[in-house]
Coordinates of all heavy atoms in Angstrom, one line a residue:
M1 N -17.6 -11.4 -0.3 CA -18.7 -10.6 0.2 C -18.2 -10.0 1.5 O -17.5 -10.8 2.4 CB -19.9 -11.5 0.3 CG -21.1 -10.6 0.6 SD -21.5 -10.4 2.3 CE -22.0 -12.0 2.9
F2 N -18.5 -8.6 1.7 CA -18.0 -8.1 3.0 C -19.2 -7.5 3.6 O -20.0 -6.8 2.9 CB -17.0 -7.1 2.6 CG -16.4 -6.3 3.9 CD1 -15.5 -6.9 4.5 CD2 -17.1 -5.3 4.2 CE1 -15.0 -6.2 5.7 CE2 -16.7 -4.6 5.4 CZ -15.6 -5.2 6.2
V3 N -19.5 -7.6 4.8 CA -20.6 -7.1 5.5 C -20.1 -5.8 6.3 O -19.4 -5.9 7.1 CB -21.3 -8.0 6.5 CG1 -22.4 -7.3 7.1 CG2 -21.8 -9.3 5.7
A4 N -20.7 -4.6 5.9 CA -20.3 -3.4 6.7 C -21.1 -3.2 7.7 O -22.2 -3.9 8.0 CB -20.5 -2.2 5.7
Q5 N -20.6 -2.3 8.7 CA -21.4 -2.2 10.0 C -22.6 -1.2 9.7 O -23.6 -1.3 10.4 CB -20.6 -1.6 11.1 CG -19.5 -2.6 11.5 CD -19.9 -3.9 11.8 OE1 -20.8 -3.9 12.8 NE2 -19.4 -5.0 11.3
H6 N -22.5 -0.4 8.8 CA -23.7 0.5 8.5 C -23.4 1.1 7.1 O -22.4 0.9 6.5 CB -23.8 1.6 9.6 CG -22.4 2.2 9.8 ND1 -21.8 3.2 9.0 CD2 -21.5 2.1 10.8 CE1 -20.6 3.5 9.5 NE2 -20.5 2.9 10.5
P7 N -24.5 1.7 6.4 CA -24.4 2.2 5.2 C -23.3 3.2 4.9 O -22.6 3.0 3.9 CB -25.8 3.0 5.0 CG -26.7 2.2 5.9 CD -25.8 1.8 7.1
A8 N -23.0 4.1 5.8 CA -21.9 5.0 5.5 C -20.6 4.3 5.4 O -19.8 4.7 4.5 CB -21.9 6.1 6.7
E9 N -20.3 3.3 6.1 CA -19.2 2.5 6.0 C -19.2 1.8 4.7 O -18.2 1.7 4.1 CB -19.1 1.6 7.2 CG -17.8 0.8 7.1 CD -17.7 -0.2 8.3 OE1 -18.3 -1.3 8.2 OE2 -16.9 0.0 9.2
A10 N -20.3 1.1 4.3 CA -20.3 0.5 3.0 C -19.9 1.3 1.9 O -19.2 0.9 1.1 CB -21.8 0.0 2.8
H11 N -20.4 2.6 1.9 CA -20.1 3.6 0.8 C -18.6 3.9 0.9 O -17.9 4.1 -0.2 CB -21.0 4.7 0.9 CG -22.3 4.4 0.3 ND1 -22.7 4.4 -1.0 CD2 -23.4 4.1 1.1 CE1 -24.0 4.0 -1.1 NE2 -24.4 3.8 0.1
L12 N -18.1 4.1 2.0 CA -16.7 4.5 2.2 C -15.9 3.3 1.6 O -15.0 3.5 0.8 CB -16.5 4.6 3.7 CG -14.9 5.0 4.2 CD1 -14.7 6.4 3.9 CD2 -14.6 4.6 5.4
L13 N -16.3 2.1 2.0 CA -15.4 0.9 1.5 C -15.6 0.8 0.1 O -14.5 0.4 -0.7 CB -15.8 -0.3 2.4 CG -15.4 -0.2 3.7 CD1 -16.0 -1.4 4.5 CD2 -14.0 0.0 4.0
K14 N -16.7 1.0 -0.5 CA -16.9 0.9 -1.9 C -16.0 1.8 -2.7 O -15.3 1.5 -3.7 CB -18.3 1.1 -2.3 CG -18.6 0.8 -3.8 CD -20.0 1.0 -4.2 CE -20.2 0.8 -5.6 NZ -19.3 1.3 -6.6
G15 N -15.9 3.0 -2.0 CA -15.0 4.1 -2.6 C -13.7 3.6 -2.6 O -12.9 4.0 -3.6
V16 N -13.1 2.9 -1.7 CA -11.8 2.4 -1.6 C -11.7 1.4 -2.8 O -10.6 1.5 -3.5 CB -11.5 1.7 -0.2 CG1 -10.2 0.9 -0.3 CG2 -11.5 2.6 0.9
L17 N -12.5 0.5 -2.9 CA -12.5 -0.5 -4.0 C -12.5 0.2 -5.4 O -11.8 -0.1 -6.3 CB -13.6 -1.4 -4.1 CG -13.6 -2.3 -2.6 CD1 -14.6 -3.3 -2.8 CD2 -12.3 -3.1 -2.7
D18 N -13.2 1.3 -5.4 CA -13.4 2.0 -6.7 C -12.0 2.7 -7.2 O -11.6 2.6 -8.2 CB -14.4 3.2 -6.6 CG -15.8 2.7 -6.7 OD1 -16.0 1.6 -7.1 OD2 -16.8 3.5 -6.4
S19 N -11.4 3.2 -6.1 CA -10.1 3.8 -6.4 C -9.0 2.9 -6.8 O -8.0 3.2 -7.2 CB -9.7 4.8 -5.3 OG -9.6 4.1 -4.1
A20 N -9.3 1.6 -6.3 CA -8.3 0.6 -6.6 C -8.6 -0.2 -7.9 O -8.1 -1.1 -8.5 CB -8.2 -0.5 -5.4
G21 N -9.7 0.4 -8.5 CA -10.1 -0.2 -9.9 C -10.8 -1.5 -9.7 O -11.0 -2.3 -10.7
I22 N -11.4 -1.8 -8.5 CA -12.2 -3.0 -8.3 C -13.6 -2.7 -8.4 O -14.1 -1.9 -7.5 CB -11.7 -3.7 -7.1 CG1 -10.2 -3.9 -7.1 CG2 -12.5 -4.8 -6.9 CD1 -9.8 -4.6 -5.7
E23 N -14.3 -3.3 -9.3 CA -15.8 -3.1 -9.5 C -16.5 -3.8 -8.3 O -16.3 -5.0 -8.0 CB -16.2 -3.5 -10.7 CG -17.6 -2.8 -11.1 CD -18.2 -3.4 -12.5 OE1 -17.2 -3.9 -13.2 OE2 -19.2 -3.2 -12.6
S24 N -17.4 -3.0 -7.6 CA -18.3 -3.7 -6.5 C -19.6 -3.1 -6.4 O -19.8 -2.1 -7.1 CB -17.6 -3.6 -5.2 OG -17.4 -2.1 -4.9
E25 N -20.5 -3.7 -5.8 CA -21.8 -3.1 -5.6 C -22.2 -3.4 -4.2 O -21.7 -4.3 -3.5 CB -22.8 -3.9 -6.5 CG -22.4 -5.1 -7.2 CD -23.6 -5.6 -8.1 OE1 -24.5 -6.2 -7.5 OE2 -23.5 -5.5 -9.3
I26 N -23.1 -2.4 -3.8 CA -23.5 -2.6 -2.4 C -25.0 -3.3 -2.4 O -25.8 -2.7 -3.2 CB -23.7 -1.2 -1.8 CG1 -22.2 -0.6 -1.6 CG2 -24.4 -1.3 -0.3 CD1 -22.2 0.7 -1.1
R27 N -25.3 -4.2 -1.7 CA -26.6 -4.8 -1.7 C -27.0 -4.8 -0.2 O -26.2 -5.1 0.6 CB -26.5 -6.3 -2.3 CG -26.0 -6.4 -3.6 CD -26.0 -7.8 -3.9 NE -25.4 -8.0 -5.2 CZ -25.1 -9.3 -5.6 NH1 -25.4 -10.3 -5.0 NH2 -24.5 -9.3 -6.9
H28 N -28.2 -4.5 0.0 CA -28.6 -4.7 1.5 C -30.0 -4.8 1.8 O -30.7 -5.6 1.3 CB -27.8 -3.5 2.3 CG -28.1 -2.3 1.7 ND1 -28.6 -1.1 2.4 CD2 -27.9 -1.7 0.4 CE1 -28.8 -0.1 1.6 NE2 -28.3 -0.4 0.4
E29 N -30.4 -3.9 2.7 CA -31.7 -4.2 3.4 C -32.9 -4.7 2.7 O -33.6 -5.5 3.2 CB -32.2 -2.8 4.0 CG -31.2 -2.1 5.0 CD -30.1 -1.3 4.3 OE1 -30.0 -1.4 3.0 OE2 -29.4 -0.6 4.9
A30 N -33.0 -4.3 1.4 CA -34.2 -4.7 0.7 C -34.4 -6.3 0.7 O -35.4 -6.8 0.9 CB -34.1 -4.3 -0.7
L31 N -33.2 -7.0 0.6 CA -33.3 -8.4 0.6 C -33.8 -8.9 2.0 O -34.7 -9.8 2.0 CB -31.9 -9.0 0.3 CG -31.3 -8.7 -1.0 CD1 -29.8 -9.3 -1.1 CD2 -32.2 -9.6 -1.9
F32 N -33.3 -8.3 3.1 CA -33.6 -8.7 4.3 C -35.1 -8.4 4.6 O -36.0 -9.2 5.1 CB -33.0 -8.1 5.4 CG -31.4 -8.6 5.4 CD1 -30.4 -8.1 4.5 CD2 -31.1 -9.7 6.2 CE1 -29.2 -8.5 4.6 CE2 -29.8 -10.2 6.2 CZ -28.9 -9.6 5.4
G33 N -35.6 -7.2 4.1 CA -36.9 -6.7 4.3 C -37.9 -7.7 3.7 O -38.9 -8.0 4.2
A34 N -37.6 -8.1 2.5 CA -38.4 -8.9 1.7 C -38.5 -10.5 2.4 O -39.5 -11.0 2.2 CB -38.0 -9.1 0.3
S35 N -37.4 -10.8 3.1 CA -37.4 -12.1 3.7 C -38.3 -12.3 4.8 O -38.6 -13.3 5.3 CB -36.1 -12.6 3.9 OG -35.5 -11.9 4.9
G36 N -38.6 -11.1 5.4 CA -39.4 -11.2 6.6 C -38.6 -11.6 7.8 O -37.6 -12.2 7.7
G37 N -39.2 -11.3 9.0 CA -38.4 -11.7 10.3 C -37.4 -10.7 10.7 O -37.4 -10.3 11.8
V38 N -36.5 -10.3 9.8 CA -35.4 -9.5 10.3 C -35.8 -7.9 10.1 O -36.0 -7.5 8.9 CB -34.0 -9.8 9.5 CG1 -33.0 -8.8 10.1 CG2 -33.8 -11.3 9.7
P39 N -35.9 -7.2 10.9 CA -36.2 -5.8 10.9 C -35.2 -5.1 9.9 O -34.0 -5.4 10.0 CB -36.1 -5.1 12.2 CG -36.1 -6.4 13.1 CD -35.7 -7.5 12.4
V40 N -35.7 -4.3 9.1 CA -34.9 -3.6 8.1 C -33.6 -2.9 8.7 O -32.4 -3.0 8.3 CB -35.5 -2.6 7.1 CG1 -34.6 -1.8 6.3 CG2 -36.6 -3.5 6.2
N41 N -34.0 -2.3 9.9 CA -33.0 -1.6 10.5 C -31.8 -2.3 11.2 O -30.8 -1.8 11.5 CB -33.6 -0.4 11.4 CG -34.3 -1.0 12.5 OD1 -34.2 -2.3 12.7 ND2 -34.8 -0.3 13.4
E42 N -31.9 -3.6 11.2 CA -31.0 -4.3 11.7 C -30.2 -5.1 10.6 O -29.2 -5.7 10.8 CB -31.5 -5.5 12.6 CG -31.9 -4.9 13.9 CD -32.2 -5.9 15.0 OE1 -31.8 -7.1 14.8 OE2 -32.8 -5.5 16.0
A43 N -30.5 -4.8 9.3 CA -29.8 -5.5 8.3 C -28.6 -4.6 8.0 O -28.6 -3.5 8.2 CB -30.6 -5.3 7.0
R44 N -27.5 -5.3 7.6 CA -26.3 -4.7 7.3 C -26.0 -4.7 5.9 O -26.2 -5.7 5.2 CB -25.1 -5.4 8.1 CG -25.5 -5.5 9.6 CD -24.2 -5.2 10.4 NE -24.5 -5.0 11.7 CZ -23.8 -5.7 12.7 NH1 -23.0 -6.6 12.4 NH2 -24.2 -5.3 13.9
P45 N -25.5 -3.6 5.3 CA -25.1 -3.7 3.9 C -24.1 -4.6 3.6 O -23.2 -4.8 4.4 CB -24.6 -2.1 3.6 CG -24.5 -1.6 5.1 CD -25.2 -2.3 5.9
E46 N -24.1 -5.2 2.5 CA -23.1 -6.1 2.0 C -22.4 -5.5 0.7 O -22.9 -4.9 -0.1 CB -23.7 -7.4 1.6 CG -24.4 -8.0 2.7 CD -25.1 -9.4 2.3 OE1 -25.2 -9.5 1.1 OE2 -25.7 -10.0 3.3
I47 N -21.1 -5.5 0.6 CA -20.3 -5.2 -0.4 C -20.0 -6.4 -1.2 O -19.3 -7.3 -0.8 CB -19.2 -4.4 -0.1 CG1 -19.5 -3.2 0.8 CG2 -18.2 -4.1 -1.3 CD1 -18.3 -2.4 1.3
W48 N -20.4 -6.5 -2.5 CA -20.1 -7.7 -3.4 C -19.2 -7.2 -4.4 O -19.3 -6.2 -5.1 CB -21.4 -8.2 -4.1 CG -22.3 -8.8 -3.2 CD1 -23.2 -8.2 -2.3 CD2 -22.5 -10.1 -3.0 NE1 -23.9 -9.0 -1.6 CE2 -23.6 -10.3 -2.1 CE3 -22.1 -11.2 -3.6 CZ2 -24.0 -11.6 -1.6 CZ3 -22.6 -12.7 -3.2 CH2 -23.6 -12.7 -2.2
V49 N -18.0 -7.9 -4.5 CA -17.0 -7.6 -5.6 C -17.6 -8.3 -6.8 O -17.8 -9.6 -6.9 CB -15.7 -8.2 -5.2 CG1 -14.7 -8.1 -6.3 CG2 -15.2 -7.4 -3.9
V50 N -17.6 -7.5 -7.9 CA -18.3 -8.1 -9.1 C -17.4 -9.2 -9.6 O -17.8 -10.2 -10.2 CB -18.5 -6.9 -10.2 CG1 -18.9 -7.5 -11.6 CG2 -19.5 -6.0 -9.5
D51 N -16.1 -8.9 -9.7 CA -15.1 -9.9 -10.3 C -14.6 -10.8 -9.2 O -13.8 -10.4 -8.4 CB -13.9 -9.1 -11.1 CG -13.0 -10.0 -11.5 OD1 -13.1 -11.1 -11.5 OD2 -12.2 -9.4 -12.4
D52 N -15.0 -12.0 -9.2 CA -14.7 -12.9 -8.3 C -13.1 -13.2 -8.1 O -12.8 -13.3 -6.9 CB -15.1 -14.4 -8.6 CG -16.6 -14.6 -8.1 OD1 -17.1 -13.7 -7.3 OD2 -17.1 -15.6 -8.5
E53 N -12.5 -13.0 -9.3 CA -11.0 -13.1 -9.1 C -10.3 -11.9 -8.3 O -9.1 -12.2 -7.9 CB -10.4 -13.2 -10.5 CG -10.8 -14.5 -11.3 CD -10.1 -14.6 -12.7 OE1 -9.3 -13.8 -13.0 OE2 -10.4 -15.7 -13.3
R54 N -11.1 -11.0 -8.2 CA -10.5 -9.9 -7.3 C -10.9 -9.8 -5.9 O -10.6 -8.9 -5.2 CB -10.7 -8.5 -8.1 CG -10.1 -8.6 -9.5 CD -9.9 -7.3 -10.1 NE -8.8 -6.6 -9.5 CZ -8.4 -5.4 -9.8 NH1 -9.2 -4.7 -10.7 NH2 -7.4 -4.8 -9.4
A55 N -11.8 -10.8 -5.6 CA -12.5 -10.7 -4.2 C -11.3 -10.7 -3.1 O -11.5 -10.0 -2.1 CB -13.3 -11.9 -4.0
A56 N -10.4 -11.6 -3.3 CA -9.3 -11.8 -2.1 C -8.5 -10.4 -2.1 O -8.3 -9.9 -1.0 CB -8.4 -12.8 -2.5
E57 N -8.3 -9.8 -3.3 CA -7.5 -8.5 -3.1 C -8.4 -7.5 -2.6 O -7.9 -6.8 -1.8 CB -7.2 -8.1 -4.6 CG -6.4 -6.9 -4.9 CD -6.4 -6.4 -6.4 OE1 -6.7 -7.3 -7.3 OE2 -6.0 -5.3 -6.5
A58 N -9.6 -7.5 -2.9 CA -10.6 -6.6 -2.3 C -10.7 -6.7 -0.8 O -10.7 -5.7 -0.1 CB -12.1 -6.7 -2.9
A59 N -10.8 -7.9 -0.4 CA -10.9 -8.3 1.1 C -9.7 -7.7 1.9 O -9.8 -7.2 2.8 CB -11.1 -9.7 1.3
A60 N -8.5 -7.9 1.3 CA -7.4 -7.4 1.9 C -7.4 -5.9 2.0 O -7.1 -5.3 3.0 CB -6.1 -7.8 1.0
L61 N -7.8 -5.1 0.9 CA -7.9 -3.8 1.0 C -8.9 -3.3 2.0 O -8.6 -2.3 2.7 CB -8.4 -3.2 -0.3 CG -7.4 -2.9 -1.5 CD1 -8.1 -2.6 -2.8 CD2 -6.7 -1.7 -1.1
L62 N -10.0 -3.9 2.1 CA -11.0 -3.6 3.1 C -10.5 -3.7 4.4 O -10.7 -3.0 5.3 CB -12.2 -4.3 2.9 CG -12.9 -4.1 1.5 CD1 -14.2 -4.8 1.3 CD2 -13.2 -2.6 1.4
R63 N -9.8 -4.7 4.6 CA -9.3 -5.0 5.9 C -8.3 -4.0 6.4 O -8.3 -3.5 7.5 CB -8.6 -6.4 6.1 CG -9.2 -7.4 7.0 CD -8.6 -8.8 7.0 NE -9.3 -9.6 6.2 CZ -8.6 -10.3 5.1 NH1 -7.4 -10.2 4.9 NH2 -9.3 -11.0 4.4
Q64 N -7.5 -3.4 5.5 CA -6.6 -2.3 5.7 C -7.3 -1.1 6.1 O -6.9 -0.3 7.0 CB -5.7 -2.0 4.7 CG -4.6 -3.0 4.4 CD -4.0 -2.7 3.0 OE1 -4.1 -1.5 2.5 NE2 -3.3 -3.6 2.5
Q65 N -8.5 -0.9 5.5 CA -9.2 0.4 5.7 C -10.0 0.4 7.1 O -10.2 1.4 7.5 CB -10.3 0.4 4.5 CG -9.7 0.8 3.2 CD -9.0 2.1 3.4 OE1 -9.4 3.2 4.1 NE2 -7.7 2.1 2.9
L66 N -10.4 -0.8 7.5 CA -11.2 -0.9 8.7 C -10.2 -0.2 9.6 O -9.2 -0.6 9.9 CB -11.6 -2.2 9.2 CG -12.5 -2.9 8.1 CD1 -12.8 -4.3 8.4 CD2 -13.8 -2.1 8.3
P67 N -10.8 0.8 10.4 CA -10.1 1.4 11.5 C -9.7 0.3 12.4 O -10.3 -0.5 12.6 CB -11.0 2.4 12.1 CG -12.4 2.1 11.5 CD -12.2 1.2 10.2
T68 N -8.4 0.5 12.9 CA -8.1 -0.5 14.0 C -9.3 -0.3 14.9 O -9.5 -1.0 15.7 CB -6.8 0.0 14.6 OG1 -6.1 0.7 13.7 CG2 -6.0 -1.2 15.2
G69 N -9.9 0.8 14.7 CA -11.1 1.3 15.4 C -12.3 0.2 15.6 O -12.9 0.2 16.5
L70 N -12.3 -0.7 14.7 CA -13.2 -1.8 14.8 C -13.0 -2.5 16.2 O -14.1 -2.8 16.9 CB -13.1 -2.8 13.7 CG -14.2 -2.9 12.7 CD1 -14.0 -4.3 12.1 CD2 -15.6 -2.8 13.4
E71 N -11.8 -2.6 16.5 CA -11.5 -3.4 17.7 C -11.2 -2.3 18.9 O -10.8 -2.7 19.9 CB -10.2 -4.2 17.6 CG -10.5 -5.2 16.5 CD -11.5 -6.3 17.1 OE1 -11.6 -6.6 18.2 OE2 -12.3 -6.8 16.2
A72 N -11.2 -0.9 18.6 CA -10.8 0.0 19.6 C -11.6 -0.1 20.9 O -12.8 -0.3 20.8 CB -11.0 1.3 18.9
G73 N -10.9 0.0 21.9 CA -11.7 0.1 23.3 C -11.6 -1.5 23.7 O -12.1 -1.6 24.9
R74 N -11.4 -2.4 22.9 CA -11.3 -3.8 23.3 C -9.9 -4.3 23.6 O -9.0 -4.0 22.9 CB -12.0 -4.8 22.4 CG -13.4 -4.5 22.2 CD -13.9 -5.6 21.4 NE -15.2 -5.1 20.6 CZ -15.6 -5.7 19.5 NH1 -15.0 -6.8 19.0 NH2 -16.7 -5.3 18.9
P75 N -9.8 -5.1 24.6 CA -8.5 -5.6 25.0 C -8.1 -6.5 23.8 O -9.0 -7.1 23.1 CB -8.7 -6.5 26.2 CG -10.0 -6.0 26.8 CD -10.8 -5.4 25.7
W76 N -6.7 -6.7 23.6 CA -6.3 -7.5 22.5 C -5.4 -8.6 23.1 O -4.9 -8.5 24.3 CB -5.6 -6.8 21.5 CG -4.5 -5.9 21.9 CD1 -4.7 -4.6 22.4 CD2 -3.1 -6.0 21.9 NE1 -3.4 -4.0 22.8 CE2 -2.5 -5.0 22.6 CE3 -2.4 -7.1 21.7 CZ2 -1.1 -4.8 22.8 CZ3 -0.8 -7.1 22.0 CH2 -0.3 -5.9 22.5
R77 N -5.2 -9.7 22.4 CA -4.5 -10.8 22.9 C -3.1 -10.9 22.2 O -3.0 -10.8 21.0 CB -5.1 -12.2 22.7 CG -4.5 -13.2 23.1 CD -5.2 -14.5 23.0 NE -6.5 -14.5 24.0 CZ -6.5 -15.2 25.2 NH1 -5.5 -16.0 25.5 NH2 -7.6 -15.0 25.9
C78 N -2.1 -10.9 23.0 CA -0.7 -10.9 22.6 C -0.5 -12.2 21.8 O -0.8 -13.2 22.3 CB 0.2 -10.7 23.6 SG 2.0 -10.8 23.1
A79 N 0.0 -12.1 20.5 CA 0.2 -13.2 19.7 C 1.5 -14.0 20.2 O 1.6 -15.2 19.8 CB 0.4 -12.8 18.1
S80 N 2.4 -13.4 21.0 CA 3.7 -14.0 21.4 C 3.4 -14.6 22.6 O 3.9 -15.8 22.7 CB 4.6 -12.8 21.5 OG 5.8 -13.2 22.0
C81 N 2.8 -14.0 23.6 CA 2.8 -14.8 24.9 C 1.4 -15.0 25.5 O 1.2 -15.9 26.3 CB 3.4 -13.8 26.0 SG 2.5 -12.5 26.4
G82 N 0.3 -14.6 24.6 CA -1.0 -14.9 24.9 C -1.7 -14.0 26.1 O -2.8 -14.3 26.4
E83 N -1.0 -13.1 26.5 CA -1.4 -12.3 27.6 C -2.5 -11.4 26.9 O -2.5 -10.8 25.8 CB -0.3 -11.4 28.1 CG -0.6 -10.5 29.3 CD -1.2 -11.5 30.5 OE1 -0.3 -12.5 30.9 OE2 -2.2 -11.2 31.0
T84 N -3.6 -11.1 27.8 CA -4.6 -10.2 27.4 C -4.1 -8.6 27.7 O -3.7 -8.5 28.8 CB -5.9 -10.5 28.1 OG1 -6.4 -11.7 27.7 CG2 -6.9 -9.5 27.6
V85 N -4.2 -7.7 26.9 CA -3.6 -6.4 27.0 C -4.7 -5.3 26.7 O -5.5 -5.5 25.8 CB -2.3 -6.2 26.0 CG1 -1.7 -4.8 26.4 CG2 -1.5 -7.3 26.2
E86 N -4.7 -4.4 27.6 CA -5.8 -3.4 27.4 C -5.6 -2.7 26.1 O -4.5 -2.4 25.7 CB -5.7 -2.3 28.6 CG -6.1 -3.0 29.9 CD -7.5 -3.6 29.8 OE1 -8.4 -2.9 29.3 OE2 -7.7 -4.7 30.3
A87 N -6.7 -2.2 25.5 CA -6.6 -1.5 24.2 C -5.7 -0.3 24.1 O -5.2 -0.1 23.2 CB -8.0 -1.1 23.9
Q88 N -5.5 0.3 25.1 CA -4.8 1.7 25.0 C -3.2 1.4 24.9 O -2.4 2.3 24.6 CB -4.9 2.7 26.3 CG -4.4 2.1 27.6 CD -5.7 1.4 28.4 OE1 -6.3 0.7 27.8 NE2 -5.5 1.6 29.7
F89 N -2.8 0.1 25.1 CA -1.4 -0.2 24.9 C -1.0 -0.6 23.5 O -1.8 -1.4 22.9 CB -1.0 -1.3 25.9 CG -1.0 -0.9 27.5 CD1 -2.0 -1.5 28.1 CD2 -0.3 0.1 27.8 CE1 -2.1 -1.1 29.6 CE2 -0.3 0.5 29.3 CZ -1.3 -0.1 30.0
T90 N 0.1 -0.3 23.0 CA 0.3 -0.5 21.5 C 1.2 -1.7 21.5 O 1.8 -2.2 20.5 CB 0.9 0.6 20.7 OG1 2.0 1.1 21.4 CG2 -0.1 1.6 20.7
A91 N 1.8 -2.1 22.7 CA 2.7 -3.3 22.9 C 2.3 -4.0 24.2 O 1.9 -3.4 25.1 CB 4.1 -2.7 23.0
C92 N 2.6 -5.4 24.2 CA 2.3 -6.2 25.2 C 3.2 -5.7 26.4 O 4.4 -5.6 26.4 CB 2.7 -7.6 24.9 SG 2.4 -8.8 26.2
W93 N 2.5 -5.5 27.6 CA 3.1 -5.1 28.8 C 4.0 -6.2 29.3 O 4.9 -5.9 30.2 CB 2.2 -4.7 29.8 CG 1.0 -5.6 30.2 CD1 -0.1 -5.6 29.7 CD2 1.2 -6.6 31.1 NE1 -0.9 -6.8 30.3 CE2 0.0 -7.2 31.3 CE3 2.2 -7.1 31.9 CZ2 -0.3 -8.4 32.1 CZ3 2.0 -8.2 32.9 CH2 0.8 -8.8 32.7
K94 N 3.7 -7.3 28.9 CA 4.3 -8.6 29.5 C 5.6 -8.9 28.8 O 6.7 -9.2 29.4 CB 3.4 -9.7 29.5 CG 4.0 -11.0 30.4 CD 2.9 -12.0 30.6 CE 3.4 -13.2 31.4 NZ 2.3 -14.1 31.5
C95 N 5.6 -9.0 27.4 CA 6.7 -9.4 26.6 C 7.2 -8.5 25.8 O 8.3 -8.7 25.2 CB 6.4 -10.8 26.0 SG 5.4 -10.7 24.5
G96 N 6.5 -7.3 25.6 CA 6.9 -6.4 24.7 C 6.5 -6.4 23.1 O 6.9 -5.4 22.4
A97 N 6.0 -7.5 22.9 CA 5.5 -7.6 21.4 C 4.5 -6.5 21.0 O 3.8 -6.1 21.8 CB 4.9 -9.0 21.3
D98 N 4.6 -6.1 19.8 CA 3.7 -5.1 19.2 C 2.3 -5.7 19.1 O 2.1 -6.8 18.9 CB 4.2 -4.7 17.8 CG 5.4 -3.8 17.9 OD1 5.6 -3.2 19.0 OD2 6.1 -3.7 16.9
A99 N 1.3 -4.7 19.3 CA -0.1 -5.2 19.2 C -0.4 -5.6 17.7 O 0.3 -5.1 16.7 CB -0.9 -3.9 19.4
P100 N -1.3 -6.5 17.5 CA -1.6 -6.8 16.1 C -2.2 -5.7 15.3 O -2.8 -4.8 16.1 CB -2.5 -8.0 16.3 CG -3.0 -7.9 17.7 CD -2.0 -7.2 18.5
L101 N -2.1 -5.5 14.1 CA -2.8 -4.5 13.4 C -4.2 -4.6 13.3 O -4.6 -5.7 13.2 CB -2.1 -4.3 12.1 CG -0.7 -3.9 11.9 CD1 -0.1 -3.8 10.5 CD2 -0.6 -2.4 12.5
Ligands
ZN201 ZN1 3.1 -10.7 25.1

C-alpha cells in the first residue's frame, strides 16, 4: 500500500503502474470520512496493488517516480561521511560523495 500526498499524485502513480501492467486501485477519503474524527480533506489517497506478489515491484516503481522533489528543498545527509548537505548540492561538499537518489 502506498499513500500519496494528494489525489493528483495518486492518479499519476496509478498510471505508472498501469503502464507497467500492474493492476492497482485507489482508495481514499471515503473510508476516513466514514470513520469520523479525521477531516476528509486531510485524508490521503492510498494506492493498493491488487496482486500482492507484485507489491514490491510496484513499490520500487513508485519510488522511482517520486520526484526527488519529495525531498527537494530539504538538506540531505551524506551516506558516506554523515555530513548534512544543503538541498541544492548534488554532491557532499565535505567528502564529494554523490547525493542519494
Ligand atoms: Zn560526505
Side-chain angles (χ1 to χ4, degrees):
M1 192 268 288
F2 181 87
V3 180
Q5 298 304 305
H6 48 75
E9 183 181 73
H11 286 275
L12 178 82
L13 295 176
K14 184 178 188 306
V16 170
L17 294 182
D18 284 348
S19 57
I22 300 174
E23 197 181 343
S24 62
E25 11 180 282
I26 296 173
R27 302 179 188 172
H28 51 125
E29 299 87 349
L31 288 174
F32 288 89
S35 71
V38 181
V40 167
N41 62 7
E42 291 196 8
R44 300 217 170 130
E46 298 175 353
I47 300 172
W48 292 74
V49 175
V50 174
D51 184 349
D52 274 349
E53 292 187 358
R54 303 198 72 180
E57 185 187 346
L61 269 172
L62 294 184
R63 240 177 268 124
Q64 283 171 20
Q65 284 305 312
L66 289 176
T68 331
L70 244 203
E71 299 291 325
R74 287 191 211 160
W76 50 275
R77 178 173 293 256
C78 176
S80 174
C81 71
E83 188 61 51
T84 299
V85 184
E86 292 302 317
Q88 67 266 32
F89 297 108
T90 56
C92 175
W93 57 265
K94 191 171 181 184
C95 74
D98 287 336
L101 291 176

